[in-house]
């Protein structure tokens, strides 16, 4: 049957032998190491067996198939009526990494004689197990062509390294997904030697998971009282690169399952280092005797399909969860890092940092009993047909030397439990003239927690206090389950938001000009920082959370201690060439008006701000013209704008006149804005907004051009526009990135 070449030249042969083989059947050796890879190889083996005129099948069994502790699963191969040509006992018993290395060495000692005797044209190797690495190494050194199944995929643990190493040894590849194909191409594999086939196991499960007897299978494994979608399948393997943590996760999973109180089928872990310790954990917790659990070493694949397809949930780190289960829409909880990077359907919820019993329990609450759309990421049911055709196309006279190329590869994206359980949030800082406020603000605009302190007078004290308050908020955010994405700062004055610098401050905030806020905050907090004027922040708050949501063009006017605002044009905030745009409080409405804090005369702020109203209230009070019946002012109480407003409401004509002038001045300024930029909405914000709403509307109806008179005027419903606007800078920019 074999030529007489050197032991290590089996696959090459002389020209006469190669020519002869081209006319003969293709000798295909399928080597299977464990129950998992057999489920992928069996459909191909059946396909090969069904074409005896084309293929000659040889079967080699090694690894955990031949170990009693793992169910002696070679028997299911015999039950499928395959002739096993060679059984190789290659597992060195042990519970550490050294045992795996010794097992690879033992396989390498035994395999050459078998491969020399069988002299296959092609060796089929599946996946990422250490046994498969021994197979690929031996075949590559003996010049036997290797067809690798499921290469190019990405997951966690040492399996990744082994899978990619086998891919480099293999000559041909049958991959399951387009992404895996791209990964192999980026690893320099010849594109013409890569087949996008899909997963062979999908050929069986897509057609078989609707068996009529699935209820009998469920009862036989879980009990007569168990109903469809009311049980859990658990399958957790050790992570050989982090055995200690994987055992901890296994223990937490079992604790969560015990607490969840649902009937659960627990399969024993695979043979990797750490598996014995995991079994000890299972027995220490009494899982095998627990009434809610059924612990088994092996389930035949056709029955396992039914159990997974009709489960209320699957949990663990088996590739079956992130691959096959998606074909049924079964909800899956993937624990730890073993499958990190695998392409998954929306049915998979990742708990990568499975560090608490509660987190796993919460994931069970979220997933159990759900049904998802069926996913065909890993196959459409025609993989075997493609693979058989691909093998027939292999030119055995072609040299084994590989070709190389270097295209890019796109990474996959999936959901994560931490992003579900944590609230994406921002730290918002508002530098007012009196108070310094810091808040944790959620993505939906909820102020989760707020901190208020008097604003210090000096620069050094102010920066120190901001950092102290932010650090406190960040510490609290952990306990509040908030993930802080960045810091947004709202401050008075003219701001360069590109560099995070306050160029010129208002007189209300001393020592706050030419100040770089971004650098000290970002350096100390290790977070991105955004800074802008408080008026602009108010406009941003309205755009994200308020009346401006969905509006393309609008203006926000802040009526508080001063008058400010922001302009949104074509969905973007207008800053101006020197960051002086939207200084709306300094629109001049009178040539002979009162002096403004900016040094000019007749500005809106000089008429309509809280400070202007306070000035007029003091003047009237000094002239004994403020108080009317029903009003009192304590000697220790400072007269302010509220007293003026109350007096006007009680019929004080002098106070009414002041408010009328203030409202008219604000209305005239807004008319100028309407004529300049023609927004579709004006939003009045701040403590005085409600008092100015009607006067502004009246002035617009009297003074604006006809085409602008229909502009809507609304009072903001936001409680903290400065904080919300500061937060929106963070939330808008950081969440543009894809997780």
């Amino acid at each position: 049957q074999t030529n007489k070449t050197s032991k290590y030249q089996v696959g090459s042969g002389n020209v006469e032998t190669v020519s002869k083989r081209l006319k003969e059947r293709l000798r295909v050796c399928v080597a299977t190491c464990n129950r998992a890879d057999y489920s992928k190889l069996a459909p191909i083996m059946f396909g090969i067996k069904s074409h005896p005129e084309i293929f000659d099948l040889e079967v080699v069994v090694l690894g955990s198939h031949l170990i009693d502790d793992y169910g002696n699963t070679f028997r299911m191969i015999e039950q499928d009526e395959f002739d096993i040509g060679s059984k190789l006992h290659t597992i060195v018993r042990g519970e550490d990494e050294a045992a795996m290395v010794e097992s690879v060495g033992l396989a390498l000692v035994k395999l050459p004689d078998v491969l020399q005797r069988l002299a296959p044209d092609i060796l089929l190797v599946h996946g990422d197990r250490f046994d498969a690495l021994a197979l690929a190494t031996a075949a590559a050194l003996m010049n036997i062509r290797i067809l690798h199944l499921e290469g190019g995929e990405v997951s966690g643990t040492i399996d990744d390294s082994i899978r990619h190493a086998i891919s480099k040894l293999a000559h041909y590849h049958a991959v399951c997904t387009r992404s895996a194909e791209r990964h192999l191409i980026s690893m320099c594999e010849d594109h013409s030697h890569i087949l996008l086939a899909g997963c062979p196991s999908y050929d069986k499960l897509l057609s078989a998971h609707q068996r009529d007897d699935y209820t009998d299978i469920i009862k036989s494994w879980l009990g007569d009282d168990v109903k469809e979608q009311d049980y859990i399948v658990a399958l957790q393997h050790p992570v050989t690169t982090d055995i200690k943590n994987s055992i901890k996760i296994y223990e937490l999973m079992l604790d969560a399952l015990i607490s969840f109180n649902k009937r659960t089928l627990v399969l024993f872990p695979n043979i990797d280092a750490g598996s014995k310790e995991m079994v000890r954990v299972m027995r220490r917790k009494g899982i095998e005797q627990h009434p809610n659990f059924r612990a088994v070493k092996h389930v035949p694949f056709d029955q396992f399909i039914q159990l997974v397809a009709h489960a209320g949930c699957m949990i663990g780190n088996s590739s079956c969860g992130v691959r096959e289960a998606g074909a049924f829409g079964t909800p899956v909880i993937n624990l730890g890092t073993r499958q990190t990077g695998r392409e998954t359907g929306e049915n998979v919820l990742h708990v990568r940092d499975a560090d608490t019993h509660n987190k796993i329990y919460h994931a069970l609450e979220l997933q159990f009993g759900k049904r998802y759309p069926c996913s065909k990421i890993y196959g459409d049911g025609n993989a075997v047909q493609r693979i058989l055709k691909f093998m027939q196309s292999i030119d055995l006279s072609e040299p084994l030397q590989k070709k190389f190329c270097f295209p890019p590869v796109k990474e996959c994206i999936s959901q994560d439990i931490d992003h579900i359980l944590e609230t994406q949030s921002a730290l918002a800082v508002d530098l007012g003239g009196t108070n310094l406020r810091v808040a944790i603000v959620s993505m939906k605009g909820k102020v989760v927690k707020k901190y208020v302190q008097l604003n210090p007078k000096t620069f050094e004290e102010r920066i120190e206090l901001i950092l102290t308050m932010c650090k406190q908020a960040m510490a609290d955010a952990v306990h509040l389950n908030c993930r802080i994405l960045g810091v947004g700062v709202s401050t008075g004055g003219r701001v360069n938001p590109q560099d995070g610098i306050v160029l010129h401050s208002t007189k209300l905030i001393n020592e706050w000009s030419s100040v770089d806020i971004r650098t000290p905050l970002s350096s100390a907090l290790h977070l991105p920082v955004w800074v802008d004027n408080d008026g602009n922040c108010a406009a941003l708050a309205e755009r994200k959370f308020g009346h401006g949501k969905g509006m393309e063009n609008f203006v926000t006017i802040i009526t508080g201690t001063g008058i400010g605002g922001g302009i949104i044009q074509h969905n973007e905030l207008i800053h101006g060439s020197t960051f002086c745009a939207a200084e709306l409080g300094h629109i001049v409405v009178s040539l002979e008006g009162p002096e403004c804090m900016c040094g000019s005369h007749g500005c809106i702020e000089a008429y309509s701000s809280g400070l202007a109203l306070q000035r007029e209230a003091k003047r009237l009070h000094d002239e004994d013209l403020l108080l009317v019946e029903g009003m009192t002012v304590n000697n220790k109480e400072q007269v302010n704008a509220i007293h003026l407003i109350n007096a006007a409401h009680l019929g004080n004509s002098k106070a009414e006149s002041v408010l009328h002038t203030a409202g008219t001045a604000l209305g005239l300024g807004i008319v100028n804005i309407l004529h300049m930029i023609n927004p579709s909405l004006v939003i009045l914000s701040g403590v005085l907004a409600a008092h100015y709403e009607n006067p502004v509307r009246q002035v617009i109806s009297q003074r604006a051009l006809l085409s602008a008179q229909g502009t809507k005027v609304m009072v903001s419903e936001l409680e903290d526009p400065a904080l919300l606007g500061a937060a929106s800078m963070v939330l808008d920019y950081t969440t543009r990135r894809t997780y």
Side-chain angles (χ1 to χ4, degrees), residues 172-185:
Y172 302 92
H173 311 273
V175 300
C176 297
T177 68
R178 182 73 65 185
S179 180
E181 179 185 37
R182 291 175 183 147
H183 288 151
L184 283 179
I185 293 171

Side-chain angles (χ1 to χ4, degrees), residues 659-698:
L659 282 181
H660 176 74
T661 301
T664 301
L666 182 61
L668 288 172
I670 291 174
V671 167
N672 289 332
I673 295 170
L674 299 184
H675 292 167
M676 282 188 289
I677 60 174
N678 193 209
S680 55
L681 173 66
V682 174
I683 302 171
L684 300 178
S685 181
V687 294
L688 300 173
H691 302 292
Y692 286 140
E693 182 181 10
N694 288 330
V696 166
R697 284 178 175 165
Q698 289 176 3

Side-chain angles (χ1 to χ4, degrees), residues 336-351:
T337 59
R338 190 170 184 264
Q339 302 299 337
T340 298
R342 288 266 196 199
E343 294 174 88
T344 64
E346 60 182 291
N347 64 308
V348 179
L349 177 62
H350 297 283
V351 190

